[in-house]
Amino acid sequence: MTKSLSFLLVDDDTDDTSLFKEVLEEVNPSISFNWAEDGQQALQFLKDQDSILPDVIFLDLNMPRMGGKECLTEIKNDEKLHKIPVIMYTTSSQSRDIEETMQKGAICFITKPTNMKELKNILSSIAGNVHSNLEKTLRLLSNNTTTFIVC
Amino acid sequence: MILIVDDKQANLFSLKTLLQLNVYDVDTASSGEEALKKILKNEYELIILDVQMPGMDGYEVAEIITGYSKSKDIPIIFLSAVNIDKRFITKGYTSGGVDYVTKPFDPDLLLLKIKTFSKLYRQAKELSDIKDNLEQKVEKRTEELKQANKNLEVSNAELQQYAFIASHDLQEPLRKIITFTRIIEERFLEKTPAAMEYMSKIITSSERMRTLINDLLNYSSISVDPKFIFTDLTKIVNQALVDLEVSISEKNARIEVDDLPVIEVVPEQITQVFQNIVSNALKFSKKDVTPFIKISGELVQKKSAKSKPSATGEYCRITITDNGIGFDEMYLDKIFSMFQRLHGKSEYKGTGIGLSITKKIIENHNGLITAKSKEEEGSTFIIILPVNQTAEHQTS
């Protein structure tokens, strides 16, 4: 039996968080869902010995206390954490945000979809390919969706 | 006031009396040294200077007087009974005198000379005072203008920042309006098509507003301090075309790209320029004609749309021609201004920001953009960009 997946969403927006959780449950109820409401809380969770490290991190940009860019830098500078794929998950579609986060090591930049079917489609593609060609899957996905995805 | 310098009290007295009778203010000094002290202290409009004096002679005194910035313009008339040779007179002039009067002199003529020279001096002084005053005013104004300019730059930067933040924060609630409207539509309205239709209208309007905000964001975030890199424009055009792939194949458009020069640009910004112009060309294509877009470029001599081609030119002209619906050239200025649209929203999509972003980018590149068109006969956009940005900065 394969180990069940674990996703971490770092986002201060509770509406987006509950939609994300709802859709993720529809996709696969066995995926364990963790949530942090800002970068600081995320790092605290990730560095806690008792936490099970997530398979994917979804990271928002604008958050209080510690934003996504700073959090991403911290994750990529941490020996234990830097291999976890980070997907930027945000309202922005600004090229400077995209360039900066991709340069810092995010594997993908997704502008939050406004269509739940799209979100479901994205989450199920990610869930199905976390350990096999995640980047390639996302690249394929970006060509076949109206959601703004940059890899 | 007039200063008379003579070591003989009798001479001083007679000349002083003569001048005072003619209503001049008079001061006297009985030696060169005393004269210099007085000159530093007081204002004189004319100096009558004896040549032969013990201690400093008249020539030395004159040389020192013309050396001071305070007194250099005061006219000096030499007066001499002894040194009346041509060489002495010449020396008088070269040491700074305006006239050399030999004794015995005619009092009337001397008075006329005094009158003329003091009048000239006063006029010159008035002029120079006016000039100083003007210079001060100009300097003050320049300073004020510089300050005003600085204030403008600051408020401009603040405004840009404000526009960026405002539009960024507007995105968030709008996205939620769209998201939740969709959820209601999908989950609760399947059986009420009329309600669905209204919901679709909300979504369409919100989507439109979203595009608008996004365009505004792009406009306000065009970097003020951009990084210029020498880039092959052909590659940039190809990148822009990849990004437009979907709409190009939807419209079945044919696009021809010539070899374009390598010039110094901000690659992302110029990619956006080509994207905007080509997507406009696609958007405003004729309904029943296959869209054809041709992009070509060449080096030219001057920063002018009509400049002659030149293999060693310092500017690059890029021409983008389409066979679309075109526009009336009387609207040329309008198409580059913010929010100006020539067509109704239902006919053609768009926010009216695309070309103003394009223009701003081109201006940031020290270039120019213009267009030629006739209604129903396609459009041609012409862009002139400097090949070398650093040289452009040095000359401008």
Side-chain angles (χ1 to χ4, degrees):
Chain A
M1 210 184 95
T2 50
K3 181 176 122 336
S4 72
L5 290 175
S6 161
F7 284 7
L8 171 66
L9 173 66
V10 190
D11 193 344
D12 61 318
D13 190 314
T14 47
D15 291 335
D16 288 340
T17 304
S18 54
L19 283 175
F20 188 95
K21 198 178 168 204
E22 202 181 308
V23 173
L24 190 63
E25 258 166 37
E26 280 177 42
V27 168
N28 184 348
S30 74
I31 296 175
S32 82
F33 172 78
N34 291 294
W35 173 64
E37 68 171 339
D38 62 46
Q40 269 177 17
Q41 221 182 63
L43 289 176
Q44 224 168 49
F45 171 80
L46 290 167
K47 289 181 177 176
D48 185 343
Q49 298 297 332
D50 297 332
S51 306
I52 296 165
L53 288 183
D55 298 281
V56 185
I57 299 170
F58 293 82
L59 189 56
D60 187 21
L61 273 181
N62 276 333
M63 291 180 291
R65 295 168 289 274
M66 186 193 283
K69 286 177 189 172
E70 204 185 325
C71 184
L72 177 63
T73 313
E74 294 280 331
I75 292 171
K76 289 298 156 191
N77 283 339
D78 189 302
E79 238 176 85
K80 211 177 84 185
L81 306 174
H82 76 276
K83 278 190 179 157
I84 305 173
V86 177
I87 294 172
M88 302 313 293
Y89 184 68
T90 160
T91 311
S92 167
S93 55
Q94 286 294 298
S95 56
R96 61 172 166 193
D97 289 338
I98 299 170
E99 274 160 34
E100 202 180 331
T101 50
M102 296 299 274
Q103 214 166 32
K104 285 184 182 208
I107 62 159
C108 177
F109 192 102
I110 299 178
T111 300
K112 289 177 180 171
T114 52
N115 187 326
M116 290 308 101
K117 281 182 197 155
E118 288 275 327
L119 181 58
K120 194 173 172 181
N121 186 17
I122 292 167
L123 290 186
S124 72
S125 301
I126 293 172
N129 297 280
V130 171
H131 297 299
S132 55
N133 287 326
L134 181 56
E135 287 184 52
K136 198 179 157 194
T137 311
L138 287 164
R139 226 170 286 134
L140 273 174
L141 197 61
S142 71
N143 290 328
N144 297 311
T145 172
T146 53
T147 304
F148 187 78
I149 301 180
V150 179
C151 294
Chain B
M1 197 156 53
I2 295 170
L3 178 67
I4 307 166
V5 190
D6 203 314
D7 58 316
K8 292 182 189 72
Q9 291 301 321
N11 287 348
L12 277 180
F13 180 74
S14 60
L15 200 49
K16 184 178 174 183
T17 315
L18 173 71
L19 292 181
Q20 277 173 340
L21 281 175
N22 286 279
V23 231
Y24 283 103
D25 269 347
V26 183
D27 196 4
T28 57
S30 48
S31 72
E33 290 83 351
E34 193 191 344
L36 289 176
K37 273 186 207 157
K38 287 198 162 180
I39 287 163
L40 282 180
K41 229 167 74 190
N42 309 321
E43 295 290 333
Y44 299 105
E45 59 191 75
L46 184 82
I47 297 164
I48 299 170
L49 191 53
D50 182 24
V51 175
Q52 198 74 18
M53 290 186 291
M56 253 190 229
D57 68 14
Y59 303 127
E60 285 175 79
V61 176
E63 267 169 30
I64 294 175
I65 291 173
T66 50
Y68 291 152
S69 65
K70 186 190 174 215
S71 57
K72 67 178 167 37
D73 295 322
I74 304 175
I76 298 167
I77 298 176
F78 282 107
L79 208 56
S80 181
V82 191
N83 303 327
I84 52 172
D85 268 13
K86 189 183 162 190
R87 62 190 171 101
F88 292 119
I89 297 177
T90 312
K91 198 177 172 192
Y93 280 102
T94 51
S95 65
V98 291
D99 206 343
Y100 199 103
V101 177
T102 53
K103 286 181 187 171
F105 56 81
D106 182 318
D108 292 336
L109 283 182
L110 182 66
L111 277 171
L112 282 173
K113 286 184 182 195
I114 289 171
K115 194 180 163 195
T116 308
F117 282 120
S118 63
K119 189 178 166 191
L120 269 176
Y121 175 72
R122 257 178 277 128
Q123 284 173 342
K125 192 158 181 355
E126 261 169 43
L127 264 179
S128 115
D129 284 351
I130 292 172
K131 195 176 140 240
D132 283 353
N133 199 347
L134 266 178
E135 271 172 7
Q136 271 176 20
K137 272 191 186 158
V138 169
E139 212 168 284
K140 194 167 161 246
R141 288 279 154 80
T142 313
E143 209 39 58
E144 283 169 0
L145 273 175
K146 270 188 195 160
Q147 190 55 43
N149 213 11
K150 216 186 253 172
N151 292 347
L152 261 179
E153 272 172 27
V154 169
S155 65
N156 208 12
E158 277 172 2
L159 208 66
Q160 192 163 343
Q161 189 64 14
Y162 176 78
F164 181 79
I165 292 167
S167 29
H168 188 271
D169 287 353
L170 287 172
Q171 294 271 44
E172 202 78 38
L174 192 59
R175 183 176 51 77
K176 286 197 182 171
I177 293 175
I178 300 172
T179 308
F180 290 109
T181 313
R182 281 224 168 96
I183 291 180
I184 295 174
E185 193 183 45
E186 279 170 21
R187 294 190 188 166
F188 306 104
L189 299 180
E190 252 176 71
K191 285 171 191 144
T192 43
M196 281 260 272
E197 204 187 310
Y198 289 126
M199 286 298 181
S200 299
K201 283 190 198 296
I202 296 178
I203 293 174
T204 313
S205 295
S206 312
E207 289 283 10
R208 201 182 129 61
M209 189 162 165
R210 196 183 195 192
T211 321
L212 196 68
I213 292 172
N214 240 329
D215 284 356
L216 268 178
L217 259 171
N218 281 331
Y219 185 83
S220 63
S221 66
I222 296 171
S223 174
V224 189
D225 181 28
K227 288 194 179 60
F228 291 100
I229 303 164
F230 275 99
T231 318
D232 184 348
L233 289 180
T234 317
K235 279 188 188 151
I236 287 199
V237 170
N238 287 332
Q239 178 57 47
L241 294 180
V242 167
D243 295 340
L244 291 168
E245 223 168 53
V246 178
S247 25
I248 292 172
S249 61
E250 258 175 24
K251 293 262 180 182
N252 209 4
R254 200 159 71 77
I255 298 181
E256 195 180 299
V257 185
D258 282 2
D259 260 351
L260 302 175
V262 175
I263 66 171
E264 208 175 1
V265 294
V266 183
E268 312 86 64
Q269 293 190 359
I270 296 298
T271 312
Q272 204 182 349
V273 165
F274 282 110
Q275 263 177 26
N276 288 349
I277 296 179
V278 172
S279 91
N280 260 356
L282 294 169
K283 196 188 294 173
F284 299 111
S285 55
K286 288 179 181 165
K287 295 231 157 53
D288 39 7
V289 182
T290 309
F292 174 64
I293 300 165
K294 184 176 162 60
I295 302 172
S296 54
E298 61 190 340
L299 294 182
V300 296
Q301 284 171 342
K302 281 180 287 185
K303 185 176 167 180
S304 144
K306 289 177 184 162
S307 174
K308 284 199 181 106
S310 153
T312 55
E314 286 176 11
Y315 290 89
C316 167
R317 173 167 55 213
I318 303 146
T319 317
I320 303 146
T321 306
D322 65 51
N323 60 348
I325 59 169
F327 63 89
D328 188 333
E329 274 185 20
M330 67 182 273
Y331 298 119
L332 184 59
D333 287 341
K334 281 207 163 174
I335 63 169
F336 290 111
S337 341
M338 184 88 90
F339 299 127
Q340 294 286 352
R341 303 165 45 94
L342 302 184
H343 305 275
K345 279 176 229 159
S346 50
E347 285 176 88
Y348 297 96
K349 281 188 200 165
T351 56
I353 301 180
L355 280 181
S356 52
I357 291 180
T358 302
K359 188 169 187 227
K360 193 173 168 192
I361 292 176
I362 297 297
E363 280 167 1
N364 276 1
H365 279 73
N366 305 302
L368 63 87
I369 179 166
T370 184
K372 287 191 296 194
S373 184
K374 265 188 194 158
E375 276 181 295
E376 292 305 313
E377 288 179 28
S379 315
T380 299
F381 283 84
I382 300 156
I383 297 170
I384 307 285
L385 287 171
V387 171
N388 201 316
Q389 288 292 337
T390 25
E392 182 75 14
H393 286 312
Q394 276 159 7
T395 53
S396 63

